[in-house]
Amino acid sequence: MNLTRHRRAIERMYTDRCTIYRYQPVKDPETKTTKLVPQPVYTDQPCRISQRALGQNNQTEAQNEIRYETKLFIAPEVEIRQGDLLEVTRGTVTRRYTAGEPYQYSTHQEVSIQREEWA
């Protein structure tokens, strides 16, 4: 199997862009306290998202909660950790997700990502 050719074929489907944030310790100069703040570790990475399951409608009188799961396909050398925050842009729409544990292949990696927001 020609992995280089296989990887190029997969990467042709990468029409989305992803910025990956990880919680890093940041010291506040005024209060001298250290807080964990999401900091970008990778920006504008080519990727592809795919809906894994249909969204669940958890609407109540007070709120309409959006909850569904998608899968992210991205290059294998991009280090994604479980719990990382992702901003994925498809066209003109940007959505935020939380990363699950990635599964590595030699040509790409698949990451289960969850979106939980209120409409």
Side-chain angles (χ1 to χ4, degrees), residues 20-84:
I20 300 158
Y21 296 87
R22 190 166 296 141
Y23 284 99
Q24 305 283 343
V26 174
K27 189 171 185 175
D28 186 333
E30 293 180 16
T31 63
K32 307 288 189 224
T33 59
T34 301
K35 296 180 183 179
L36 290 177
V37 179
Q39 299 289 317
V41 290
Y42 295 98
T43 58
D44 205 30
Q45 294 293 308
C47 65
R48 175 75 176 206
I49 55 172
S50 176
Q51 187 171 341
R52 185 172 172 177
L54 294 175
Q56 301 171 0
N57 186 359
N58 295 325
Q59 186 167 348
T60 64
E61 288 184 24
Q63 69 191 25
N64 183 19
E65 188 175 326
I66 299 170
R67 181 176 297 162
Y68 64 90
E69 188 174 337
T70 57
K71 193 179 278 192
L72 175 79
F73 298 85
I74 196 163
E77 57 273 357
V78 176
E79 182 190 1
I80 297 178
R81 298 179 187 167
Q82 185 170 349
D84 282 350

